[in-house]
Amino acid sequence: MTSGRDIFSTLHNHLASRSIEKTIKKLRDDIRRHDELYYLHENPEISDREYDALIEQLREFENQHPELITPDSPTQRVAGRPAEGFPEFVHRVPMLSLDNSYNIDELRAFDERCRKLGDGKSPDYVAELKIDGLSLSVHYDDGVFVRGVTRGDGFRGEDVTLNVRTIRSIPLKLNEKAASIAPEIEVRGECYLGLKIFERINAEREDAGEARFANPRNAASGTMRQLDPSITARRRLEMFAYDVIACQRKAFATHWDALNWAEKAGFRVNENRKLCKSIDEVIYFCNRMEAKRDDLGYEIDGVVVKVNSTALQEQFGATGKAPRWAIAYKYAARQATTRVNDIVVQVGRTGALTPVAMLDPVPLSGVTVSRSTLHNEEEIERLGLKIGDYVLIERGGDVIPKVVKVIESKRTGKEKKFRMPTVCPVCGGNVSRPEGEAVSRCIAADCSAQLIGLLLHFASRRAMRIEGLGFALAEQLIEKKMVSDVADLYSLTLDDLASLERMAKKSASNVLSQIEASKSRDPANLIYGLGVRHVGERTAGILARHFGSLERLGDATVEQLDDIHEIGLTMAESIHDWFADSGNKELCARLRKAGVRTELAEQPQKKVDERFAGKVFVLTGTLPSMTRDEARELIEARGGRVTGSVSKKTDFVLAGADPGSKLDKANELGVSVIDEAEFKKMLG
Ligand code: IVH
């Protein structure tokens, strides 16, 4: 007899399997839609990582319910499909894709598998950059270029010969020696667009009222699929070669040899490649390249690791879509989708109103992102962004995340249009956006948001370095009317500070001694701290050294300022206007009266030190006894310069612990590398 419980359980199972069927169908539909957006419209809505996660979810459901697998499921084929408009070409050797790994453990697991498949020993590997573009196969008959084909679905691609002809880094004829290896040669590689060209293309598209490409890969793919080759030619596609096939077989005994042949034959092969004796060397390469990722000038999304021996490659073979002898090690994704819950407006020290998108927190290349600047009203208009929209966001290097585009298909109709406030959201003062400018500004002279911004800037490390003067303190000082400009800081007493909230006597006295100590900062720090428009840290240093005092700078004419090599007319006018203002004149006088140093102690020429004068330094890593800022000051005070990246013009790299890629670059270029001890010797 069937018990009530059994009936319930059967019904439950039935309902459960119906709902799994539904879930699978929904996943498949979603994936197909994303395939279409990606491959046919070059306009993805989700990041690769998110796409992979969808496929993985589907695969898991299908593994649990193999009876629900259908031949047309996205898990059953190699992704991609030939677009219309180009003749189809059937690849003579299928263009496989790669399995992915996302962390070191997964890389080690790959190494384990390779050992098991081989003779128990870890094979040699070649580690190469995984260029984020589109794969391309180029064919040569008797050394002459005959055809270029996209990957398509891995079996059939599009014949894009006319477009490939326009790519200058693909030779139209191989030299005789290179061609002699076989009558039919196929070279495979990754086609991409450099970041500068990508920016140019997007700017042009914007001017033409067209939508921007979301990323360089989509732009490269869109460019390759142009039916008019003259457009492709203008866009400067490039290719890095990564494989060589001769008469449908691997051309060389090792992959390393194949890459070297390709280079000699006239292809571009990425210089960042390494023949590794162990997985540890591979891991080192992966980490090193991740640190270099932002200096390459093109996008990479990871490293490809390949077994070097062709014989072993053949022995290992492939699963349906990917070889067992290679794996992609993917770096953290830089794009993600999330929702804009609100747009708030911040007021900076120059009065600029900056709209900021408040996001549903989302992990992105190792950090959780919950806000993203939208710059100004024009940017919001350009994006067509509304409050409540889903957006694709992107983080490049250490740059703040930005909204790349709105995902219109996710709109519900409940999204709200954003309007820039017509009065300052902090002080209620008037807001002005002059003709031709993108930025709206609060023009009230007594706006507390501007004053808070200015105090924080004045107190910042590179200006007057008043530690302990943070947002909460600045806000209270202004609210209690103790401070209405930066000079007022110097009349604060211990009692004033101790009377504030969350301010114990000890902290009050610390802040006070910090304020006192700031009086003897270099005038360059003071000039920077005043927050004159267009005057950054470097310009402030130039002005201080040129004029020797705040007073002489204040008396300078526009012409005198403009005559200084590094100072242009806009900057000269801005400096002159600031010092001509009677309020600012009075402010400078009060600072001087309070005992703030406004004169350089000695004339600059006397301070210049032979060993430093005109020398270019790059600082990297953690120094044992000083911060990089302190080292920088010591160098600049002696007439040296500090720049951010190593080049042939660099004289010294001052390296501390964990120096990163700058040290590699210095070694590569033969630049002198010194440690803190040697640096101190130089200082005398
Ligand atoms: S080897 C069977 N090497 O990554 C091995 N691929 O996710 C096939 N890619 O379709 C590829 N840089 O478009 C290889 N150095 C590189 C690569 C690379 C980028 C792309 C390629 C491939 C995709 C797989």
Side-chain angles (χ1 to χ4, degrees):
M1 206 180 94
T2 320
S3 71
R5 179 176 241 156
D6 283 344
I7 291 174
F8 180 75
S9 139
T10 315
L11 189 63
H12 177 82
N13 285 344
H14 176 71
L15 287 176
S17 81
R18 287 263 322 256
S19 100
I20 282 168
E21 230 178 304
K22 264 195 185 158
T23 313
I24 289 185
K25 181 173 180 319
K26 164 115 186 28
L27 270 170
R28 285 180 186 156
D29 288 348
D30 275 359
I31 292 169
R32 283 192 194 109
R33 197 173 67 82
H34 289 305
D35 275 345
E36 204 156 290
L37 283 167
Y38 185 106
Y39 289 103
L40 295 182
H41 307 295
E42 279 111 24
N43 196 17
E45 287 182 352
I46 56 174
S47 66
D48 286 0
R49 182 73 70 94
E50 287 163 324
Y51 179 86
D52 290 348
L54 285 179
I55 293 273
E56 207 39 53
Q57 250 180 29
L58 176 58
R59 198 166 275 145
E60 250 167 51
F61 279 122
E62 289 183 345
N63 282 345
Q64 283 161 19
H65 296 272
E67 73 282 3
L68 297 178
I69 299 180
T70 56
D72 67 344
S73 169
T75 56
Q76 303 302 301
R77 71 180 174 90
V78 190
R81 117 183 36 139
E84 283 169 21
F86 291 100
E88 185 180 292
F89 186 87
V90 178
H91 293 295
R92 292 171 181 150
V93 178
M95 290 186 83
L96 299 184
S97 99
L98 290 168
D99 281 334
N100 291 328
S101 60
Y102 295 102
N103 55 51
I104 303 296
D105 289 344
E106 289 175 13
L107 263 188
R108 291 199 186 279
F110 165 72
D111 182 44
E112 287 281 316
R113 286 198 297 278
C114 287
R115 280 181 219 220
K116 278 201 190 122
L117 287 167
D119 55 7
K121 281 196 302 218
S122 181
D124 285 356
Y125 296 111
V126 176
E128 299 164 30
L129 297 187
K130 187 168 177 338
I131 315 293
D132 200 4
L134 71 146
S135 37
L136 187 70
S137 152
V138 287
H139 301 186
Y140 294 81
D141 284 354
D142 297 320
V144 178
F145 170 77
V146 287
R147 192 178 303 108
V149 188
T150 63
R151 175 163 173 271
D153 65 4
F155 300 103
R156 284 158 302 132
E158 307 120 71
D159 183 329
V160 285
T161 305
L162 293 178
N163 284 342
V164 173
R165 270 185 191 286
T166 69
I167 303 177
R168 293 181 194 177
S169 47
I170 296 178
L172 292 175
K173 196 168 183 323
L174 305 178
N175 62 49
E176 248 174 63
K177 185 154 178 277
S180 69
I181 61 161
E184 257 182 30
I185 299 174
E186 178 180 343
V187 173
R188 292 177 174 179
E190 194 77 353
C191 233
Y192 69 95
L193 277 170
L195 293 176
K196 278 207 183 114
I197 304 211
F198 167 67
E199 282 308 326
R200 195 196 75 197
I201 294 173
N202 263 349
E204 282 174 8
R205 286 174 73 87
E206 223 169 279
D207 286 349
E210 295 170 69
R212 288 167 66 95
F213 284 118
N215 53 49
R217 176 171 22 114
N218 296 133
S221 179
T223 301
M224 186 58 89
R225 290 192 166 106
Q226 282 291 335
L227 289 167
D228 174 0
S230 69
I231 298 182
T232 318
R234 274 202 299 120
R235 288 201 187 158
R236 298 283 142 93
L237 280 169
E238 297 273 5
M239 184 179 91
F240 281 125
Y242 60 62
D243 204 3
V244 186
I245 297 168
C247 293
Q248 300 172 41
R249 296 188 62 90
K250 289 271 177 172
F252 295 91
T254 67
H255 180 59
W256 192 249
D257 288 347
L259 294 181
N260 291 335
W261 172 90
E263 193 161 58
K264 289 217 179 77
F267 292 91
R268 286 177 73 234
V269 178
N270 199 293
E271 54 170 354
N272 300 297
R273 59 183 190 267
K274 190 166 168 27
L275 179 57
C276 302
K277 292 271 164 217
S278 67
I279 200 71
D280 286 327
E281 280 185 41
V282 170
I283 292 166
Y284 180 79
F285 179 85
C286 292
N287 291 336
R288 199 161 64 95
M289 292 319 301
E290 189 160 19
K292 260 189 155 180
R293 187 178 182 185
D294 298 318
D295 304 328
L296 294 170
Y298 48 85
E299 290 270 16
I300 59 169
D301 58 344
V303 167
V304 184
V305 187
K306 300 171 185 171
V307 168
N308 190 31
S309 148
T310 321
L312 278 183
Q313 290 183 0
E314 267 166 26
Q315 186 184 321
F316 291 9
T319 62
K321 78 174 188 60
R324 291 198 190 86
W325 46 265
I327 196 157
Y329 172 73
K330 299 273 279 219
Y331 292 145
R334 292 179 149 183
Q335 289 193 331
T337 351
T338 186
R339 184 172 178 270
V340 174
N341 293 326
D342 198 3
I343 298 177
V344 300
V345 175
Q346 289 181 344
V347 186
R349 73 180 154 87
T350 60
L353 266 54
T354 310
V356 178
M358 308 303 281
L359 308 169
D360 254 351
V362 60
L364 189 59
S365 48
V367 298
T368 301
V369 175
S370 52
R371 354 165 15 110
S372 164
T373 171
L374 295 165
H375 304 291
N376 52 50
E377 216 173 345
E378 271 181 12
E379 174 72 358
I380 296 178
E381 276 160 27
R382 183 180 74 74
L383 290 164
L385 176 67
K386 292 183 176 175
I387 298 167
D389 266 336
Y390 278 86
V391 288
L392 188 67
I393 60 166
E394 178 181 86
R395 204 170 150 238
D398 50 8
V399 188
I400 322 150
K402 63 173 192 223
V403 174
V404 181
K405 65 173 211 164
V406 170
I407 299 171
E408 289 188 12
S409 62
K410 285 208 177 186
R411 282 210 167 135
T412 59
K414 289 195 182 135
E415 295 75 18
K416 281 192 298 218
K417 197 168 158 41
F418 166 80
R419 280 185 209 292
M420 199 69 173
T422 48
V423 293
C424 172
V426 177
C427 74
N430 282 337
V431 164
S432 124
R433 179 174 158 191
E435 279 263 335
E437 279 198 24
V439 178
S440 305
R441 282 177 206 280
C442 162
I443 49 171
D446 56 353
C447 172
S448 66
Q450 288 180 52
L451 190 51
I452 290 178
L454 186 57
L455 283 185
L456 294 178
H457 172 74
F458 187 77
S460 66
R461 289 178 66 78
R462 291 186 169 163
M464 300 300 270
R465 191 176 292 173
I466 305 175
E467 269 163 39
L469 178 48
F471 186 86
L473 178 55
E475 198 179 28
Q476 286 195 72
L477 289 172
I478 292 163
E479 206 173 283
K480 300 257 155 66
K481 305 217 178 324
M482 290 180 182
V483 167
S484 56
D485 60 33
V486 294
D488 285 343
L489 287 173
Y490 295 96
S491 346
L492 288 171
T493 64
L494 190 61
D495 285 345
D496 287 341
L497 287 168
S499 72
L500 299 173
E501 272 168 43
R502 293 188 302 269
M503 191 52 104
K505 225 179 181 133
K506 176 104 181 29
S507 343
S509 129
N510 281 345
V511 172
L512 210 60
S513 51
Q514 288 279 332
I515 293 176
E516 190 56 33
S518 77
K519 290 181 182 170
S520 46
R521 291 283 279 170
D522 190 296
N525 300 110
L526 173 64
I527 295 169
Y528 172 59
L530 292 174
V532 181
R533 245 180 119 188
H534 303 300
V535 177
E537 201 187 349
R538 210 170 90 77
T539 311
I542 293 166
L543 293 171
R545 286 185 215 288
H546 188 90
F547 293 101
S549 81
L550 188 68
E551 291 69 32
R552 280 192 289 281
L553 168 63
D555 291 339
T557 62
V558 173
E559 290 70 30
Q560 282 168 335
L561 287 159
D562 189 33
D563 277 349
I564 304 173
H565 185 56
E566 279 106 333
I567 299 205
L569 188 60
T570 314
M571 220 190 256
E573 280 173 349
S574 159
I575 298 166
H576 180 265
D577 290 355
W578 194 92
F579 283 98
D581 178 273
S582 61
N584 290 337
K585 269 200 182 113
E586 196 201 321
L587 180 81
C588 291
R590 281 171 49 226
L591 283 168
R592 194 177 332 114
K593 202 155 160 242
V596 175
R597 186 176 146 205
T598 57
E599 289 269 346
L600 276 178
E602 304 156 39
Q603 276 312 298
Q605 286 79 357
K606 284 190 206 143
K607 271 200 125 182
V608 167
D609 180 326
E610 284 285 294
R611 283 159 302 185
F612 286 86
K615 294 281 190 293
V616 181
F617 286 72
V618 170
L619 312 180
T620 179
T622 315
L623 298 170
S625 78
M626 60 177 90
T627 65
R628 288 212 290 262
D629 275 342
E630 284 160 355
R632 178 202 195 94
E633 279 181 18
L634 289 166
I635 294 165
E636 287 178 350
R638 286 162 178 75
R641 264 202 314 134
V642 176
T643 63
S645 60
V646 181
S647 74
K648 284 193 193 120
K649 292 189 187 137
T650 312
D651 294 294
F652 296 102
V653 169
L654 171 54
D658 299 326
S661 64
K662 289 179 187 168
L663 183 61
D664 295 332
K665 185 90 193 223
N667 289 329
E668 220 169 85
L669 296 174
V671 173
S672 302
V673 178
I674 55 170
D675 61 8
E676 191 188 283
E678 286 167 88
F679 179 59
K680 283 187 170 162
K681 258 191 229 148
M682 282 176 77
L683 295 170

